[in-house]
Amino acid sequence: MLVLGIESSCDETSAAVVSDGARILSNVVASQIALHRPYGGVVPELASRHHLELINTVVTDALREASVTLDQIEGVAATCGPGLASSLLIGLTFGKSLALARNLPFIGINHMEAHLISPWLSAGRAFEPNVSLIVSGGHTMLVHVRAIGDHTVLGQTTDDAAGEAFDKVSKLLGLGYPGGPEVEKAAHGGNPAAIPFPRGKLNDPDFDFSFSGIKTSVLYWLRKHPESKIQNPKSKIVSDLCASFQQAVVDVLVGKAIAAALAMRVRFVTVSGGVACNGALRDLLAAACRRNNLELLMADRKLCTDNAGMIAGLGWHKLHAGLRTPLDLDAQPNLQLR
Ligand code: KG4
Ligand code: ZN
């Protein structure tokens, strides 16, 4: 079954085609990062306008890259939430309209549930029970996934998401947008033990996270050391600060993910979301999994950030299982994963 997937929940316009077994044939992502950079964050009105301008081309490119025609598509999947209402509407309406016009089965996809399967799509492996860490700009959560469509959220952030903390620290330092890659770059060569930033909730028995405390600690540290703000990103003081901040965030993410995997007695830990592009997180999580005899599946970087490959992949599984969504499905900006 050939499934076309569409994603437009935030600032990436994306379309993908998967074939039987959710094998990705194409995964086209048009990023709007450059468009939003001057504003230091995503401007919803600009995002939706650009989704509208890009969606036709992105879908056409996805079909061409997959070497298939629209006539061959047998099902359509589109993100219905969570995300920005005006952005979600573009991809969802496009997907529903296409399904109606072509008389194709349609499925609305929870974007967070799609993140859960992206590491398996990357690895091309059959799904197994796991604990999944989703770390992005909007979410930080640990999920016990027993099977596709059968999962329990173990914990999530009670304030800022991990990516949001990277973005805010980058802004405090004037390093640029999006903050994660900039902070990671600045952290190269820095001493991760230079500043003992707090590891929020690391030793709590639950699986929730908190990253607003560490961001505030960075702010206070900068007030005490105003000279660091005017240094260039390659200076020792800025690289030590970034390395120490990154290490504190990664320690919490790794510590909680391992604790959750051991508590749920699963063999696999998986990770996806934009922050999963971070090299320190990838290295330290891999080392911690090895120490604890856990297998780690990390989504490829392209499948970590928002993309339609994971939407089409989850859509394929759901459509294949006979699930369908009525075409009056509305965008659900606050859709939760339970
Ligand atoms: O998943 P994503 O593309 O979009 C959503 O938020 O849904 O994630 C974007 C987030 C941003 O906060 C960005 O700063 C962060 O992921 N990020 C990183 C890295 N690359 C992206 N954070 C840390 N290190 C990175 N290399
Ligand atoms: Zn996402």
Side-chain angles (χ1 to χ4, degrees):
M1 183 187 217
L2 282 173
V3 172
L4 172 71
I6 297 170
E7 153 68 28
S8 70
S9 64
C10 190
D11 60 339
E12 323 279 4
T13 319
S14 182
V17 177
V18 300
S19 62
D20 275 333
R23 199 164 56 84
I24 295 179
L25 300 183
S26 67
N27 188 12
V28 175
V29 181
S31 168
Q32 300 182 5
I33 284 179
L35 178 75
H36 299 282
R37 184 169 282 129
Y39 308 96
V42 177
V43 182
E45 272 306 310
L46 279 182
S48 72
R49 208 174 307 155
H50 275 77
H51 285 310
L52 194 55
E53 284 172 7
L54 290 167
I55 188 91
N56 266 313
T57 313
V58 166
V59 169
T60 307
D61 286 355
L63 292 170
R64 195 181 48 235
E65 272 190 29
S67 301
V68 301
T69 64
L70 196 50
D71 290 338
Q72 291 172 275
I73 295 295
E74 297 164 285
V76 180
T79 306
C80 59
L84 300 169
S86 51
S87 287
L88 285 165
L89 269 176
I90 309 298
L92 181 62
T93 307
F94 190 100
K96 290 193 301 183
S97 308
L98 195 61
L100 180 69
R102 295 262 158 176
N103 199 22
L104 292 171
F106 174 79
I107 188 95
I109 296 290
N110 181 326
H111 176 96
M112 303 312 292
E113 190 182 356
H115 270 301
L116 296 177
I117 72 152
S118 52
W120 301 92
L121 296 173
S122 274
R125 287 180 70 151
F127 192 86
E128 295 202 41
N130 63 86
V131 159
S132 192
L133 172 67
I134 306 177
V135 262
S136 68
H139 297 88
T140 303
M141 57 170 69
L142 278 165
V143 188
H144 181 203
V145 196
R146 290 171 290 273
I148 292 174
D150 178 14
H151 48 254
T152 308
V153 174
L154 301 171
Q156 52 193 315
T157 183
T158 54
D159 41 53
D160 291 350
E164 198 178 348
F166 270 95
D167 293 336
K168 286 177 176 171
V169 164
S170 177
K171 214 171 206 171
L172 287 174
L173 288 163
L175 290 179
Y177 167 85
E182 298 300 329
V183 170
E184 181 175 15
K185 232 186 287 163
H188 278 308
N191 174 8
I195 309 163
F197 287 123
R199 270 74 172 156
K201 294 181 76 57
L202 178 56
N203 296 315
D204 290 6
D206 58 44
F207 299 118
D208 285 337
F209 298 91
S210 167
F211 294 106
S212 69
I214 183 170
K215 169 203 67 192
T216 310
S217 299
V218 172
L219 177 68
Y220 287 160
W221 193 90
L222 283 172
R223 279 192 190 152
K224 267 201 226 151
H225 301 83
E227 72 280 10
S228 53
K229 267 197 102 164
I230 48 163
Q231 307 256 353
N232 77 55
K234 293 203 172 95
S235 65
K236 176 79 179 131
I237 193 163
V238 172
S239 61
D240 280 355
L241 172 71
C242 289
S244 300
F245 162 78
Q246 179 174 268
Q247 182 72 39
V249 172
V250 167
D251 278 352
V252 176
L253 294 172
V254 171
K256 291 266 178 186
I258 299 292
L262 296 177
M264 295 302 123
R265 299 172 184 279
V266 293
R267 194 156 66 91
F268 285 89
V269 172
T270 70
V271 58
S272 70
V275 183
C277 294
N278 184 277
L281 174 61
R282 294 175 88 88
D283 291 350
L284 293 172
L285 191 54
C289 283
R290 274 196 301 275
R291 279 198 304 278
N292 288 280
N293 293 321
L294 293 161
E295 281 199 51
L296 176 63
L297 279 191
M298 296 189 273
D300 294 342
R301 282 179 165 79
K302 187 162 183 193
L303 282 163
C304 276
T305 49
D306 291 346
N307 70 91
M310 65 184 190
I311 305 300
L314 181 59
W316 182 88
H317 281 284
K318 292 197 179 249
L319 291 168
H320 189 65
L323 299 173
R324 306 285 186 265
T325 312
L327 293 180
D328 62 358
L329 174 73
D330 211 348
Q332 298 163 66
N334 299 314
L335 185 63
Q336 299 287 318
L337 194 67
R338 298 196 187 280

